[in-house]
Amino acid sequence: MKWLILLGLLASLSLLVSQMARAGELPKVGEGAPDFDLPDQNGVRHNLEEFAGKWLVLYFYPKDDTPGCTQEACAFRDDLHKLAALGAQVVGISVDASDSHAEFAKKYHLPFPLLADKSAEVAARYGALMNLWLFKFAKRYTFLIDPKGKVVKVYTKVETSRHSTEIIEDLQQLAAKEK
């Protein structure tokens, strides 16, 4: 009898955690990207409209200055000239505060905006929020947004060591299709 009660409690807890961890729906390819208005590491506010006319690599990441997040950010930094040559701007978002972003950007010489989504509302709108009671963090998702503000590609399985290269390749393929 004790085992049945324990099993029932574990099943209930598992269900509760999975419900709390579930993010909103991912934006669909071809739809307009959800808007945002967030401060960066320098306190400057940025919104989706600001990037109209450019490709936007909008990447969500869990935590400043952690191994995977550092590897991903530094790869974007190192490939920024290639991305810019393809007409793309890189913007990172996490639920960390602007001051944490400022330290992270300074430490690794990150030349692109890192937006502070303290309320986690933007991560939720993009389906990139992991909410575990007291802890909220962004899932490692990236959205490639075209110059008209439409979602062109959604990356939910990101390998940090080659993610920027993958995006460059996708942008090159998209540019070739436009010709």
Side-chain angles (χ1 to χ4, degrees):
M1 184 66 155
K2 288 181 185 178
W3 286 106
L4 285 176
I5 293 171
L6 182 59
L7 186 59
L9 286 172
L10 287 174
S12 297
L13 183 59
S14 176
L15 181 61
L16 180 63
V17 169
S18 71
Q19 289 295 322
M20 292 187 73
R22 188 174 292 153
E25 272 191 51
L26 291 169
K28 292 177 178 44
V29 170
E31 289 183 350
D35 198 11
F36 56 85
D37 183 8
L38 297 170
D40 70 10
Q41 66 267 37
N42 301 311
V44 176
R45 296 194 77 81
H46 297 273
N47 59 48
L48 183 62
E49 187 177 313
E50 170 186 337
F51 301 99
K54 303 174 192 169
W55 287 93
L56 177 60
V57 177
L58 187 66
Y59 81 98
F60 288 83
Y61 65 98
K63 188 95 178 113
D64 289 332
D65 209 6
T66 56
C69 297
T70 300
Q71 183 177 43
E72 183 177 25
C74 289
F76 279 128
R77 176 201 63 205
D78 296 345
D79 288 339
L80 199 57
H81 63 285
K82 293 177 188 173
L83 290 157
L86 292 164
Q89 169 74 45
V90 174
V91 174
I93 299 180
S94 85
V95 300
D96 289 332
S98 291
D99 58 343
S100 175
H101 287 341
E103 291 173 24
F104 184 46
K106 183 178 179 181
K107 183 175 181 179
Y108 294 102
H109 310 286
L110 304 176
F112 48 83
L114 298 176
L115 305 184
D117 184 17
K118 292 274 299 158
S119 69
E121 290 175 18
V122 175
R125 274 189 260 144
Y126 275 85
L129 179 64
M130 179 65 77
N131 185 356
L132 301 171
W133 285 314
L134 299 175
F135 302 102
K136 291 181 183 180
F137 58 92
K139 294 180 182 180
R140 192 178 310 283
Y141 287 175
T142 300
F143 300 85
L144 184 56
I145 301 168
D146 76 9
K148 295 177 184 173
K150 301 268 189 223
V151 175
V152 174
K153 189 146 186 181
V154 178
Y155 306 83
T156 58
K157 295 187 185 338
V158 172
E159 186 182 320
T160 59
S161 64
R162 70 166 316 275
H163 188 47
S164 65
T165 302
E166 176 183 24
I167 291 172
I168 290 166
E169 291 168 358
D170 288 343
L171 283 168
Q172 289 169 336
Q173 287 177 0
L174 289 164
K177 286 181 185 178
E178 289 179 354
K179 290 184 180 180

